[in-house]
Amino acid sequence: NACVFLTQISRTFIAVKPDGVQRKLVGEIVRRFEKKGFKLVGLKLLQASEDLLREHYWDLRSKPFFSRLVTYMSSGPVVAMVWQGLDVVKTARKMLGETNPADSLPGTIRGDYCVEVGRNVIHGSDSVASAQKEISLWFCQNELQCWENSSSHWIYN
């Protein structure tokens, strides 16, 4: 069954933010995750509501930038994705780079495409628990696909 997880196989939530969509970086970001060997199990383009974003960023509600973040994230379409694979949360965070692009290494998404922390192109879950919460917030169960990846035996031992 394609939906049965090995113990280290997990899912993460990745969102290309409005600046990433406007700058036409969606295809490049999807390409990087596919080439890494992760399996795409959910993807949608949507205009996120302020209510959804307030809930998503609830932990940041006391920060002075919270309202600007919600306004920015609701200013244009977002591409929401769910990726599956071995240690996908940890690896995806490394692929994204640091929250502040100035601290991100070349070769990371933020290191290659971002200049300012307020326009850092992409969001990725920071833990398995956050990933589960964010996936359930952005996707209904029937929007996540279970499919057999024919190349998985070339990726996993």
Side-chain angles (χ1 to χ4, degrees), residues 11-151:
R11 289 179 172 173
T12 195
F13 175 75
I14 299 291
V16 181
K17 296 178 180 182
D19 56 318
V21 174
Q22 291 290 336
R23 293 179 56 203
K24 299 174 179 64
L25 296 174
V26 175
E28 171 62 20
I29 290 166
V30 169
R31 185 188 69 78
R32 286 181 182 219
F33 280 86
E34 285 182 327
K35 287 201 173 283
K36 182 68 178 177
F38 294 132
K39 181 165 76 169
L40 182 63
V41 296
L43 181 139
K44 59 184 171 181
L45 175 72
L46 72 152
Q47 182 81 34
S49 70
E50 289 193 7
D51 287 343
L52 171 64
L53 293 164
R54 275 191 212 93
E55 191 169 347
H56 177 88
Y57 289 113
W58 183 252
D59 294 345
L60 301 175
R61 68 190 178 280
S62 63
K63 302 286 186 185
F65 58 81
F66 179 74
S67 61
R68 285 192 316 273
L69 175 62
V70 170
T71 300
Y72 152 65
M73 286 294 294
S74 61
S75 69
V78 171
V79 174
M81 298 178 276
V82 179
W83 290 92
Q84 181 176 304
L86 180 67
D87 293 325
V88 68
V89 174
K90 179 180 176 183
T91 305
R93 294 291 294 183
K94 289 184 187 232
M95 292 170 66
L96 268 58
E98 300 299 320
T99 302
N100 184 344
D103 299 329
S104 296
L105 295 172
T108 64
I109 292 166
R110 291 176 177 147
D112 289 349
Y113 299 112
C114 305
V115 174
E116 196 176 306
V117 72
R119 296 290 182 267
N120 67 3
V121 172
I122 193 165
H123 166 84
S125 301
D126 62 5
S127 69
V128 173
S130 292
Q132 291 168 344
K133 178 183 160 232
E134 292 171 356
I135 290 166
S136 66
L137 187 61
W138 289 79
F139 286 86
C140 297
Q141 191 58 43
N142 68 351
E143 294 177 303
L144 301 177
Q145 304 301 311
C146 291
W147 59 282
E148 187 66 41
N149 184 347
S150 61
S151 64

